[in-house]
Amino acid sequence: MRKEIRIAGFGGQGIILAGIVIGRAASVHDNLFAVQTQSYGPEARGGASRTEVVISDSEIDYPKVQLPDIFVAMSHEALITYLDGLKNGGILIVDPDMIKEEEILPFVEKHNINYFKASATKTAVEKIGLGIVANIVMIGAITKATKVISEEAARKAITESVPPGTEAKNIAAFEAGMDLIDGR
Amino acid sequence: MNITRFFIQGNEACARGAIKAGCKFFAGYPITPSTEVAEDAAIILPKEGGTFIQMEDEISALGAVIGAAWAGVKGMTATSGPGFSLMQEHIGYAAMTETPLVIVDVQRGSPSTAQPTMASQSDMMQARWGSHGDYEIIALVPSSVQECFDFTVEAFNLAEKYRVPVIVLSDEIIGHMREKINIPDKVEIIARKMPEEGPETFLPYKAEPDGVSPMPPFGAGYKIHVTGLTHDERGYPDASNPETHTKLVKRLCNKILNHRGELTRVKELYTEDADIIVVSYGAPSRSAITAVKNAREKGIKAGHIKLEIVWPFPEEIIRSAAQQASDIIVAEMNLGQMVYEVERVVKSDAEVSLLPKIGGQIHRPEEFLEMIYKCQK
């Protein structure tokens, strides 16, 4: 089993942290192997941001994503930039309030994409009252939609990765994210 | 023994390894992509009774580490290409004065300031020959986050054992990627060799049979003179005596070269019956291994040698690989550096081809496969 995940959006959305949490959940708590890499440059807040996580049940040699199984887009720009790279039949999760859906529906149809919408940003603001937890909301959606990490591992990794004192709000954000994906 | 599992960057793993190995002093000047080594050291060292200093530049950073060593403390610095260039003068001084220390060089695109945020393996030869003169150092190349930890521990031990600067040649990819690592609560530590003799008769540069002298710190009552000039066993300059010079420099080189055997560290995969052997080190090894496994699935007799200690160069391993295989592919993230060492050793025993890569990213496994197919013809 080798699963390649790409998460992209803009700087300030916590894209990189989302990748770290997923990698940590998989490797430290689910006993799998994971490698997390990121676009690393002088981009400031608002610029493009990307992280990639490879998860496997055996040691990972080549550490980079080649043909993602899962693509999570938190901005329209990121969605358009990387959508082409998604595997046929792959999983796409978008924040619908951040994108123009009509531009991608033909691709989704043509490549038999397993398409999910998770209003992470809106949920973070309206349900948690804290826009900066949108990334954690998205982790909830990713966990539920892809099962690439276990719910328990995700909770532990979030608790370890967020600033002390913010654990409860972040776990609430994670749960709100899980609720965004229906139980299919 | 307790083992704790972490999911951290290679750079952080270097800092954790150093501190586990007994490092109590870090002096550095921040430079991308090595800065996280300094950041982590700055957070952890003071809590462990150590000292962190940000110096005004890389020259003084290594100077401070040399000073710390002579004060009896294990020390390190971390840098990248441009800073490593500035450190060369002091690397030669550390080699000449037999000062144990560790340098982590997280390699980035070069020459000059080139590509701060991109990876390369540009400093392989600089690590070997960067300072003027005949001298030997030890260099290790990690290719995973776990190896960043393990090899930094090893670097400290080798530095003490041989009283020599040891360089960990990481790169931007390995330095910044996050992976799971297991950190034991205790690691095997080689302590500095102290003199058994008293200060009256002790000669600080008189080597024991292994070529290495004990090293008392300043302030322990021993008379010690530290100089980059050619010196006798007392440490007094004797710079125009050909015999003193020859004896000293040969000893400094031979204390490493005579231990080539124990300083040989490679990891071989499918080499027993391989016709085509890929030689690589650091980040590109991970693509190479993927490709070699792939080639084997296709029935091609490919193998891989991952160099872990690159200096001193593992001549015997490469020589015997060349006697067995018809083709050796050397892959590196530069336009050809270690390939010269491979060619020097292989001579005409096998066909040596170079698979270079610059620009900041590692080779894709397909690039290796193409090269393997080419060699097959």
Side-chain angles (χ1 to χ4, degrees):
Chain A
M1 180 276 274
R2 180 182 166 112
K3 290 275 177 211
E4 299 188 345
I5 306 162
R6 176 177 284 147
I7 308 171
F10 48 78
Q13 281 183 312
I15 299 291
I16 308 289
L17 182 63
I20 296 171
V21 168
I22 290 170
R24 183 167 283 148
S27 66
V28 177
H29 301 296
D30 275 339
N31 272 320
L32 298 166
F33 293 86
V35 182
Q36 179 266 343
T37 53
Q38 62 211 44
S39 58
Y40 179 74
E43 294 101 10
R45 189 171 295 241
S49 177
R50 184 186 84 230
T51 183
E52 295 175 344
V53 188
V54 179
I55 296 175
S56 174
D57 53 6
S58 58
E59 264 187 68
I60 296 165
D61 297 321
Y62 187 61
K64 301 275 180 176
V65 163
Q66 287 182 297
L67 191 62
D69 303 277
I70 298 160
F71 173 40
V72 181
M74 291 186 67
S75 78
H76 189 69
E77 188 198 344
L79 178 62
I80 296 306
T81 308
Y82 298 113
L83 186 62
D84 275 353
L86 184 60
K87 197 176 180 171
N88 265 332
I91 297 176
L92 172 66
I93 306 176
V94 300
D95 186 332
D97 309 313
M98 310 298 280
I99 64 145
K100 295 176 208 124
E101 187 179 45
E102 62 280 10
E103 287 185 30
I104 59 150
L105 286 177
F107 182 93
V108 167
E109 196 71 20
K110 187 176 167 202
H111 296 276
N112 198 21
I113 301 298
N114 201 353
Y115 177 46
F116 294 89
K117 288 182 268 190
S119 298
T121 311
K122 197 170 143 203
T123 303
V125 174
E126 290 179 3
K127 285 226 169 117
I128 312 298
L130 209 57
I132 59 166
V133 298
N135 57 343
I136 307 293
V137 175
M138 194 50 107
I139 292 170
I142 295 168
T143 305
K144 180 93 175 279
T146 70
K147 315 248 182 319
V148 74
I149 51 172
S150 71
E151 196 186 315
E152 196 195 346
R155 285 175 194 276
K156 285 183 187 163
I158 289 167
T159 306
E160 289 165 358
S161 306
V162 298
T166 68
E167 294 90 344
K169 276 233 181 283
N170 278 289
I171 291 297
F174 172 74
E175 283 164 358
M178 301 256 297
D179 292 342
L180 293 177
I181 305 293
D182 58 27
R184 56 172 153 157
Chain B
M1 183 167 41
N2 282 323
I3 288 176
T4 314
R5 209 184 267 179
F6 293 91
F7 187 72
I8 55 174
Q9 289 186 318
N11 282 346
E12 296 170 286
C14 284
R16 311 278 171 99
I19 290 160
K20 273 283 181 247
C23 176
K24 291 283 184 210
F25 185 85
F26 186 109
Y29 186 79
I31 181 170
T32 301
S34 78
T35 304
E36 296 82 4
V37 186
E39 279 177 353
D40 219 45
I43 293 166
I44 302 172
L45 261 183
K47 294 181 196 159
E48 305 263 329
T51 304
F52 176 94
I53 307 181
Q54 180 172 321
M55 299 297 287
E56 68 267 33
D57 61 27
E58 287 87 347
I59 307 173
S60 58
L62 191 52
V65 175
I66 292 170
W70 282 99
V73 170
K74 292 186 185 182
M76 79 177 304
T77 188
T79 190
S80 186
F84 194 50
S85 292
L86 289 176
M87 288 179 183
Q88 294 305 320
E89 165 62 22
H90 276 156
I91 290 174
Y93 182 80
M96 187 62 152
T97 57
E98 300 178 74
T99 307
L101 54 87
V102 172
I103 301 167
V104 176
D105 174 19
V106 188
Q107 299 169 89
R108 67 189 222 182
S110 67
S112 189
T113 42
Q115 292 182 292
T117 62
M118 304 297 277
S120 87
Q121 296 177 315
S122 303
D123 308 346
M124 304 308 295
M125 283 293 169
Q126 192 183 21
R128 173 69 186 85
W129 299 109
S131 200
H132 52 282
D134 295 302
Y135 66 98
E136 297 287 334
I137 50 87
I138 298 169
L140 302 102
V141 185
S143 66
S144 67
V145 173
Q146 183 72 50
E147 284 180 358
C148 285
F149 178 87
D150 295 343
F151 289 9
T152 306
V153 171
E154 186 74 29
F156 272 91
N157 285 340
L158 293 172
E160 294 300 330
K161 188 168 180 191
Y162 295 103
R163 279 190 62 180
V164 71
V166 178
I167 300 160
V168 178
L169 288 165
S170 182
D171 65 69
E172 188 278 327
I173 293 169
I174 302 300
H176 281 151
M177 70 163 53
R178 285 183 180 81
E179 285 183 300
K180 168 168 62 182
I181 73 162
N182 294 317
I183 298 189
D185 53 5
K186 265 202 178 116
V187 297
E188 198 193 325
I189 292 179
I190 295 182
R192 192 160 297 174
K193 192 155 78 173
M194 291 297 161
E196 283 167 15
E197 265 176 85
E200 302 76 25
T201 52
F202 176 70
L203 293 169
Y205 297 92
K206 184 170 186 246
E208 296 193 335
D210 60 359
V212 184
S213 348
M215 184 178 174
F218 285 152
Y222 290 85
K223 292 180 188 126
I224 299 160
H225 184 239
V226 185
T227 177
L229 286 168
T230 291
H231 44 275
D232 61 20
E233 290 178 340
R234 298 170 300 168
Y236 293 8
D238 190 16
S240 47
N241 184 334
E243 276 169 38
T244 307
H245 182 78
T246 306
K247 191 178 160 199
L248 172 64
V249 174
K250 278 195 167 172
R251 178 175 68 78
L252 297 185
C253 292
N254 285 337
K255 72 178 177 183
I256 303 301
L257 297 178
N258 289 345
H259 294 96
R260 262 183 197 283
E262 57 192 271
L263 289 170
T264 295
R265 171 97 63 80
V266 301
K267 204 165 274 158
E268 300 190 43
L269 177 72
Y270 307 136
T271 47
E272 323 78 47
D273 63 340
D275 298 327
I276 301 166
I277 293 180
V278 179
V279 175
S280 68
Y281 51 89
S285 303
R286 303 184 58 141
S287 318
I289 290 168
T290 303
V292 164
K293 285 179 179 170
N294 217 313
R296 280 277 164 175
E297 282 166 17
K298 295 183 164 78
I300 302 168
K301 285 188 176 174
H304 183 251
I305 298 176
K306 178 163 90 77
L307 310 180
E308 297 187 342
I309 292 182
V310 284
W311 304 118
F313 187 70
E315 294 181 353
E316 278 311 311
I317 300 280
I318 299 300
R319 195 171 288 132
S320 57
Q323 275 155 11
Q324 183 207 303
S326 59
D327 281 273
I328 293 190
I329 299 168
V330 181
E332 32 189 354
M333 291 169 68
N334 53 49
L335 292 179
Q337 296 195 13
M338 298 308 288
V339 68
Y340 293 118
E341 281 296 286
V342 174
E343 284 172 347
R344 175 177 70 78
V345 172
V346 166
K347 298 198 170 69
S348 56
D349 289 343
E351 190 79 29
V352 177
S353 332
L354 172 66
L355 186 58
K357 181 103 179 175
I358 61 170
Q361 286 159 341
I362 48 171
H363 309 69
R364 284 173 291 108
E366 305 88 88
E367 295 173 65
F368 281 95
L369 275 170
E370 271 169 41
M371 196 75 167
I372 290 170
Y373 294 148
K374 242 186 244 171
C375 290
Q376 249 196 325
K377 281 169 196 161

